[in-house]
């Protein structure tokens, strides 16, 4: 048995910075010297590069992934009286924006292996008020987009992909964010493509939507001091854009590192009774923003959040830091009490909230560290 030699963090963004430090520092200093800190050519260049990476015609950079989703809904003129279908197992921002534009979130339960919205259950949730679907490619694993797009098309629904955790992932050969009508990305520092602060972007092949997004992110204004509608201030800083330009060049390599780690974890963790490792669907190439397992409680009268929390504390004692994404599903959040969802209504999501543990996952995680995680888990569950 390997003893814990060093503590392993759940993520480590300092190592990534260290690997490109000189390049980033030079570029940031150039931006500082340029005096163009918001918008400008560096942001425009990044938008072109990000669009090209996704093989889409348009990219509109903004201040965060949350803003990207909000602006997408606004651009599609979704608001009061409308319903938007999404997953109950995601970060709160996914539904917060639906409520922020005055629409109603409608939740569809998830698939047990991918943690993503179960496309089989989608059609039953569509009503005459449904305007859009927001699939979330959670933890970097793509949603089954072929089936989802077919359902959306047959009901004339817009599809806004929440790609906050999945930059670089693909489904059936197409990058996520280029499959639906709009793709929304977060550049929060721990994302696959993470800046050194907040940032976000929206991708689309629809120039009219892109024009609308550009107006909305600039206080509803196309011409300075002439305001056509109520917008927001949501621009990407030039310093973030130049850092993201550099990091975009390394993204595929970093994502491959994550994929190798995920394969290694799977090889061993799938052999340990009591652990259900995540699996991507055939057709999907995941980028593993998180490696999230289920602690199934096999042989211990089933799973419980208490048992999962005990496993986490044991791992921490063995020097393995973990994260808990997410302890409570969105349909049971206090703020959504008025929507009337009851415990037990979306059982797979609710069970996931009791069972999940996100293991250390970042491109620089060494094989020795991966072994330490695996042995620590084996030890806890034996
Ligand atoms: C699935 C998902 N959607 C949206 C967001 C919001 O992104 P941001 O933090 O950049 O606003 C996040 C961020 O964690 C996320 O994980």
């Amino acid at each position: 048995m390997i003893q814990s030699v060093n503590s392993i963090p759940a993520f480590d963004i300092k190592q990534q910075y260290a690997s490109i430090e000189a390049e980033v520092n030079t570029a940031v200093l150039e931006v500082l010297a340029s005096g163009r800190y918001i918008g400008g050519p560096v942001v425009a260049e990044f938008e072109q590069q990000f669009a090209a990476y996704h093989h889409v015609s348009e990219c509109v950079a903004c201040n965060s992934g949350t803003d990207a989703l909000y602006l997408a809904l606004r651009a599609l003129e979704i608001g009061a009286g409308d319903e938007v279908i999404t997953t109950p197992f995601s970060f709160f921002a996914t539904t917060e924006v639906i409520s922020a534009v005055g629409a109603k979130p409608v939740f569809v339960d998830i698939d047990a292996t991918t943690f993503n919205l179960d496309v089989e259950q989608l059609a039953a949730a569509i009503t005459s008020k449904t305007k859009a679907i927001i699939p979330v490619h959670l933890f970097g694993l793509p949603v089954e987009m072929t089936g989802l797009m077919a359902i959306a098309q047959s009901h004339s629904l817009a599809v806004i992909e929440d790609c906050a955790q999945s930059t670089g992932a693909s489904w059936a050969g197409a990058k996520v964010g280029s499959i639906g009508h709009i793709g929304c990305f977060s550049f929060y520092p721990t994302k696959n493509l993470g800046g050194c602060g907040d940032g976000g972007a929206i991708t689309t092949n629809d120039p009219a939507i892109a024009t609308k997004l550009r107006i909305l992110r600039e206080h509803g204004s196309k011409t300075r001091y002439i305001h056509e509608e109520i917008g927001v201030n949501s621009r990407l800083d030039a310093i973030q854009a130049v850092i993201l330009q550099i990091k975009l060049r390394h993204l595929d390599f970093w994502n491959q590192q994550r994929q190798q780690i995920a394969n290694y974890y799977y090889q061993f963790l799938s052999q340990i009774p009591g652990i259900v490792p995540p699996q991507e669907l055939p057709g999907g190439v995941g980028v593993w923003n998180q490696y999230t397992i289920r602690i199934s409680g096999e042989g211990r009268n089933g799973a419980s959040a208490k048992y999962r929390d005990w496993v986490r504390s044991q791992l921490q004692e063995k020097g393995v830091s973990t994260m808990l994404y997410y302890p409570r599903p969105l349909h049971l959040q206090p703020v959504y009490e008025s929507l009337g969802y009851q415990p037990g209504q979306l059982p797979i999501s609710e069970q996931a909230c009791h069972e999940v543990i996100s293991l250390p996952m970042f491109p620089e995680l060494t094989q020795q560290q991966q072994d330490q995680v695996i042995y620590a888990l084996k030890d806890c569950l034996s």
Side-chain angles (χ1 to χ4, degrees), residues 60 62-78 84 86 90-101 132-137 159-165 182-186 199-203 213 216 234:
V60 180
C62 63
N63 202 261
S64 68
T66 307
D67 278 4
L69 290 162
Y70 173 80
L71 290 166
L73 289 165
R74 288 286 314 277
L76 294 172
E77 296 178 358
I78 290 169
V84 178
T86 191
S90 181
F91 180 58
F92 183 58
T94 306
T95 48
E96 188 178 26
V97 292
I98 300 171
S99 307
V101 298
I133 307 167
I134 304 186
V136 181
H137 305 291
V159 175
I160 301 171
E161 294 177 74
D162 183 339
C163 308
Q165 301 184 10
I182 301 182
C184 296
F185 294 82
S186 164
I202 308 154
T203 48
L213 288 166
L216 285 167
S234 187

Side-chain angles (χ1 to χ4, degrees), residues 108 117-124 144 151:
V108 165
L117 190 147
D118 183 357
V119 174
E120 300 273 306
Q121 297 188 44
L122 190 56
E144 200 276 272
I151 293 169

Side-chain angles (χ1 to χ4, degrees), residues 22 29 47 54 66 87 95 106 119 148 199 263 279 282 286 290 308 321 326 370:
L29 290 176
E47 288 180 331
H54 287 91
T66 307
T87 167
T95 48
V106 173
V119 174
L148 187 140
N263 289 342
Q279 267 182 291
Q290 307 295 339
R308 180 269 318 277
S321 297
Y326 296 95
Q370 294 164 50

Side-chain angles (χ1 to χ4, degrees), residues 196-239:
C196 298
D198 274 316
I202 308 154
T203 48
T204 182
N205 276 312
D206 186 332
I209 288 177
T211 302
K212 187 117 201 234
L213 288 166
R214 290 194 177 99
I215 292 171
L216 285 167
R217 78 171 167 181
E218 288 270 357
H219 299 287
S221 164
K222 188 157 55 173
T223 310
R224 210 167 197 192
Y225 302 126
I226 307 298
H227 301 274
E228 291 158 45
E229 55 189 312
I230 301 297
V232 289
N233 171 4
S234 187
R235 299 171 296 219
L236 186 68
D237 295 341
I239 286 180

Side-chain angles (χ1 to χ4, degrees), residues 252-263:
D252 286 344
F253 172 71
W254 287 331
N255 280 342
Q256 280 159 19
Q257 304 282 100
R258 289 175 183 272
Q259 283 154 357
Q260 276 174 20
I261 297 165
N263 289 342

Side-chain angles (χ1 to χ4, degrees), residues 51-62:
Y53 180 80
H54 287 91
H55 301 286
V56 296
S57 59
E58 310 281 345
C59 168
V60 180
C62 63

